[in-house]
Amino acid sequence: MVVRKKQVHVCRECHRVVDGEACVICGTSNLSEDWAGYLVIIDPERSEIARKMNITMAGRYALKVR
Amino acid sequence: MNESGNKIYAIKTTAKQERTVADNVAKVIEGQKDIRVMAVIAPEELKGYVLVESPDSVARMEQLVEQIPHARAVVRLRGEESYTNLSEVEHFLVPKPVVSGITEGTIVEIIAGPFKGEKAVVKRIDTGKEEITVELYESMVPIPITVRGDSVRVVERSEEAV
């Protein structure tokens, strides 16, 4: 039996990793399966990386979305 | 160390488990208060490692690694500090377009798809879509083929680019 890995979608607008059919933050269904690089923001207020990336919400993000 | 006091640690992971480790770091951090982690990066270019942003010491990072499956060790340099600054890793945050080193006239080898192994000359570059249009080197009739930027390997750069 061939087990296919579940495709993870990323919002093209905010680069957030999305579980459902639409992005919960932007509300858009403009999602992409073709992305690279992964970023997990845990504490956006104290994270220097979040500040550099202009991210204000904790969550999982993609670094590059095609 | 940067102005916020956060350091960047590199954690070695099992191959292809970088994303799992990044997710697990977030899960472990949620459940406790001893170890503070602000963010985790798993860059595409850096296989087998994740980068952790934390104000804590390397001993805390080692404690964290022990709790995470597929995380192997914190990278330590003998006699030197085991952390780095954000300035050293921030280039990972803005990935370069894959077509950045390719110009018109560059000779490339196609490394994926039905034309795998064929050599071709670059005719047009679409930086936005990260696609390039090539013409096969050995074909009698020039047929333009559009391929993804990451499915070619540069064989010889054009003279203009040198």
Side-chain angles (χ1 to χ4, degrees):
Chain A
M1 196 178 81
V2 181
V3 181
R4 283 217 179 146
K5 214 176 170 188
K6 196 189 153 202
Q7 282 290 341
V8 182
H9 293 86
V10 165
C11 172
R12 281 207 176 93
E13 316 268 322
C14 65
H15 287 203
R16 205 172 232 279
V17 174
V18 174
D19 287 321
E21 292 297 304
C23 176
V24 280
I25 306 301
C26 326
T28 174
S29 51
N30 186 9
L31 308 178
S32 169
E33 284 179 10
D34 191 358
W35 55 277
Y38 193 58
L39 173 64
V40 182
I41 299 289
I42 298 162
D43 188 341
E45 279 160 30
R46 281 180 284 175
S47 168
E48 194 73 9
I49 293 171
R51 211 170 303 149
K52 275 253 166 7
M53 299 287 289
N54 293 325
I55 293 172
T56 51
M57 290 175 80
R60 304 179 294 152
Y61 296 85
L63 292 176
K64 186 174 176 180
V65 184
R66 276 171 63 111
Chain B
M1 216 189 295
N2 52 35
E3 64 255 36
S4 60
N6 291 347
K7 306 160 204 167
I8 307 286
Y9 295 96
I11 292 179
K12 195 162 174 29
T13 69
T14 312
K16 294 185 181 173
Q17 297 295 329
E18 299 87 353
R19 221 188 290 168
T20 318
V21 170
D23 283 335
N24 285 338
V25 169
K27 256 182 222 161
V28 168
I29 291 300
E30 261 176 39
Q32 52 80 53
K33 284 179 179 168
D34 294 340
I35 311 167
R36 293 168 295 167
V37 171
M38 305 308 162
V40 189
I41 325 170
E44 180 75 356
E45 303 94 321
L46 198 64
K47 291 204 163 65
Y49 294 91
V50 294
L51 303 169
V52 174
E53 182 189 15
S54 168
D56 288 339
S57 67
V58 67
R60 284 281 191 222
M61 289 301 110
E62 277 167 354
Q63 209 179 326
L64 175 70
V65 164
E66 280 171 21
Q67 297 175 52
I68 296 167
H70 300 297
R72 284 182 168 178
V74 183
V75 176
R76 292 187 92 150
L77 296 169
R78 200 176 292 164
E80 284 181 56
E81 302 289 2
S82 43
Y83 59 83
T84 182
N85 299 320
L86 181 63
S87 58
E88 302 234 3
V89 297
E90 65 186 353
H91 63 277
F92 288 126
L93 298 174
V94 203
K96 268 198 297 182
V98 278
V99 294
S100 62
I102 302 170
T103 53
E104 282 172 22
T106 304
I107 300 168
V108 293
E109 185 187 328
I110 301 174
I111 55 168
F115 298 105
K116 187 177 174 180
E118 297 274 354
K119 283 198 179 125
V121 183
V122 176
K123 291 289 168 191
R124 209 167 41 240
I125 301 152
D126 188 335
T127 319
K129 284 187 185 170
E130 296 196 352
E131 282 177 349
I132 58 169
T133 305
V134 296
E135 275 176 12
L136 295 182
Y137 213 49
E138 284 160 9
S139 102
M140 297 291 175
V141 193
I143 309 163
I145 305 161
T146 303
V147 293
R148 283 177 54 151
D150 55 2
S151 55
V152 297
R153 181 172 64 86
V154 175
V155 174
E156 202 181 306
R157 296 193 189 279
S158 66
E159 282 171 19
E160 288 168 34
V162 176

